[in-house]
Amino acid sequence: MTTTVAVLGTGIMGAGMAGNLANADLDVRVWNRNRDRAEPLADAGAAVADSAAEAVAGADVVLTMLFDEAAVSEVMAEALPAMTRGAVWVQSGTLGVEATGRLAERAAATGIEFVDAPVMGTKQPAEEGKLIILAAGPDRVRSALEPVFEAIAARTIWVGERPGDGHRLKLVANAWVVSLVAAAAQSIDLAARLGLDPQLFLDTIAGGASDSPYAQAKGRAMIGGNLAASFPLEGAAKDTQLILEAMGQAGARQDFLQAVSALYADALAAGHGGDDLAAVVAAFRRDHEPGGR
Ligand code: NAP
C-alpha cells in the first residue's frame, strides 16, 4: 500500500522535501501557513490542504519542517488530535534538544510515534533529495519510514532510540557550520582591510587540507554579494541559541560560540535575517575601534 505523507511547512526546506516525496510516488499532502508557498507543489502531484488537520487526517507519516518550537507547537496543537493513532510524526525542523523532549512527550500522550529527525544540508540538497537525516526514534518504525527517508535523503544516520539524540548530533554539526561560515567571513573581511583582493584567500585554501566546499560557496557569496537565502541567517541565529542552551546543559565551554553567536545577532539586527547566513560578513564590515570589538 502507498504510504501517505503529510508535510507541514513548505518553506525553503519543506518544499524541496515534499517535491521529492511526491516524485517518489508517495501519496503526499502539503500544508503551509502561507498557502502560496504550498501551491506550486500541486504540479508535482501533492494535494494542497486548507488546514494542518486536513493534511494529517489518515496520513501514515506526518513530517514537520517549521521554523521553531513555537511554530511546531502551534501547528501540532491542531494537527495532533487529527492524526491516526499509531501514525508516525517525523520532526525535522531544528528546534533544540529540550523542545524535542517536550514534543516527544506530547506525541506519546496522544498515542503517536515520534521520530526526532533533523537534517543536514540546505536548499539544494533538499531539492535534490540528498539531505542527511539524523534520526532518533523507536526501532519498530524504521522500516515504515524507509520509503520516506529514501526519497528525501542521501543517507540516514540512526543515532539511537532516544528522542533528542538526533538533535544533539544536529547541534554538534551546526556548531561547526555556523563557526566555519563566521571564520570565512572574518578572513574575507581581514583580507579586504589589509588591502588584498579577498578572492585570494579562497584561492589560497582551494584544494588544500584546510579547504571546504562550504567555505568556498559561502565565501563567494560574501565577495559577490549574492545573499539569496539557502539557509536564512535568522535560522542560523536561532541555532546558535539552541547550541548555547545545549552547551549550558552539558557544562561545555561557551565563550567561542558566544562570540560566533554575537556576530549572527549583529547581522540579524542590521536587517539580514532573510538573507543567507553568508551575510554574517556584515557583522565584520562596520568599522571597529582600534583594539576593540
Ligand atoms: P523557511 O523557508 O523560513 O520556512 C519556515 C517555515 O516555518 C515556513 O513554512 C513558515 O510558514 C513556517 N512557520 C514559521 N512560523 C510559523 C508559525 N507561527 N505557524 C505556522 N508556520 C510557521 O525556513 P527553512 O530554511 O525551510 O527552515 C525550516 C526549518 O529547517 C528550521 O527549523 C531550520 O532551522 C531548519 N533547517 C534549515 C536548513 C536550511 O539550510 N535552510 C537546513 C537544515 C535545517 P510561512 O511560509 O507561512 O511563513
Side-chain angles (χ1 to χ4, degrees):
M1 227 177 65
T2 314
T3 305
T4 304
V5 189
V7 179
L8 306 181
T10 55
I12 292 175
M13 298 296 287
M17 294 160 90
N20 283 310
L21 291 165
N23 289 333
D25 283 337
L26 297 168
D27 181 2
V28 177
R29 295 97 169 264
V30 289
W31 172 84
N32 196 65
R33 176 179 62 176
N34 166 5
R35 194 187 160 102
D36 291 356
R37 284 180 104 180
E39 256 155 17
L41 289 155
D43 294 342
V48 182
D50 285 326
S51 68
E54 180 191 318
V56 305
D60 305 301
V61 176
V62 173
L63 172 70
T64 47
M65 200 51 179
L66 299 158
F67 185 68
D68 60 4
E69 182 186 12
V72 175
S73 216
E74 193 183 318
V75 170
M76 291 311 282
E78 183 198 329
L80 263 180
M83 283 176 69
T84 310
R85 252 183 108 79
V88 186
W89 171 13
V90 175
Q91 200 310 104
S92 288
T94 309
L95 314 181
V97 174
E98 300 217 325
T100 299
R102 286 188 284 272
L103 296 173
E105 275 173 25
R106 272 173 71 180
T110 356
I112 299 299
E113 299 279 15
F114 182 86
V115 177
D116 167 28
V119 298
M120 294 302 294
T122 179
K123 183 173 188 277
Q124 192 177 346
E127 288 170 354
E128 292 175 349
K130 290 187 178 155
L131 296 169
I132 298 168
I133 301 175
L134 311 176
D139 284 345
R140 61 180 173 272
V141 303
R142 285 193 196 187
S143 59
L145 290 179
E146 264 171 31
V148 176
F149 285 2
E150 248 171 47
I152 59 180
R155 61 195 165 99
T156 297
I157 298 175
W158 279 97
V159 191
E161 290 202 86
R162 180 175 65 146
D165 278 354
H167 258 83
R168 288 183 179 88
L169 186 54
K170 168 70 180 168
L171 296 181
V172 166
N174 264 27
W176 164 244
V177 168
V178 294
S179 303
L180 176 74
V181 176
Q186 173 177 259
S187 287
I188 281 167
D189 177 68
L190 181 60
R193 285 177 187 276
L194 296 178
L196 300 172
D197 176 353
Q199 179 61 41
L200 287 170
F201 157 62
L202 297 179
D203 294 346
T204 301
I205 62 169
S210 67
D211 196 12
S212 109
Y214 207 59
Q216 291 289 342
K218 297 305 172 189
R220 278 194 302 275
M222 291 172 201
I223 293 168
N226 173 13
L227 298 173
S230 287
F231 180 7
L233 185 133
E234 184 189 15
K238 160 183 70 75
D239 290 358
T240 63
Q241 292 307 311
L242 299 176
I243 297 161
L244 287 169
E245 181 186 292
M247 285 176 146
Q249 297 276 323
R253 182 165 178 162
Q254 296 176 44
D255 47 358
F256 176 69
L257 212 275
Q258 272 162 350
V260 170
S261 180
L263 296 168
Y264 285 95
D266 276 5
L268 187 65
H272 292 286
D275 291 338
D276 192 71
L277 84 163
V280 71
V281 73
F284 290 93
R285 281 187 175 151
R286 66 187 169 82
D287 281 329
H288 298 260
E289 305 275 319
R293 281 187 58 204

